């Protein structure tokens, strides 16, 4: 499976997005924080979004590992 490098960017409208770094500027995931949330986070919404993206990518990694283990498991035939 090819490895894609990802980057986190802040869009002009203040949303935070995850996209591939290979020149494709289409966002894979976008997180929108309301102005109230941004104020509550004291401008640290980008750091919060980064944590959210990292957690999501960790879950995807575990799902891929589990799928690979299922493929490798011996099949029981009765």
């Amino acid at each position: 499976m090819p490895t894609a490098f990802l980057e986190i960017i802040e869009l002009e409208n203040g949303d935070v997005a995850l996209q591939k770094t290979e020149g494709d500027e289409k966002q894979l995931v976008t997180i929108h924080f309301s102005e109230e949330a941004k104020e509550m986070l004291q401008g640290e919404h980008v750091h919060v979004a980064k944590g959210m993206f990292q957690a999501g990518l960790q879950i995807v990694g575990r799902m891929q590992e589990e799928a690979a283990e299922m493929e490798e498991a011996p099949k029981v035939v009765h």
Side-chain angles (χ1 to χ4, degrees):
M1 174 180 289
T3 301
F5 291 99
L6 304 172
E7 64 183 348
I8 297 171
I9 60 167
E10 186 172 10
L11 303 173
E12 290 181 22
N13 67 357
D15 289 354
V16 183
L18 182 69
Q19 69 183 25
K20 293 180 182 177
T21 58
E22 294 95 48
D24 181 9
E25 295 188 14
K26 183 176 116 182
Q27 288 82 41
L28 302 171
V29 179
T30 304
I31 299 174
H32 173 78
F33 291 92
S34 68
E35 290 305 315
E36 182 181 359
K38 287 180 187 177
E39 288 176 21
M40 196 170 64
L41 295 169
Q42 300 177 348
E44 297 296 324
H45 63 285
V46 175
H47 295 292
V48 173
K50 181 179 177 181
M52 294 167 74
F53 289 134
Q54 288 173 336
L57 291 170
Q58 286 175 352
I59 290 169
V60 169
R62 282 195 297 259
M63 289 170 53
Q64 289 176 341
E65 287 174 4
E66 290 172 5
E69 288 173 5
M70 294 290 285
E71 288 177 6
E72 293 174 4
K75 306 279 189 258
V76 176
V77 180
H78 293 255

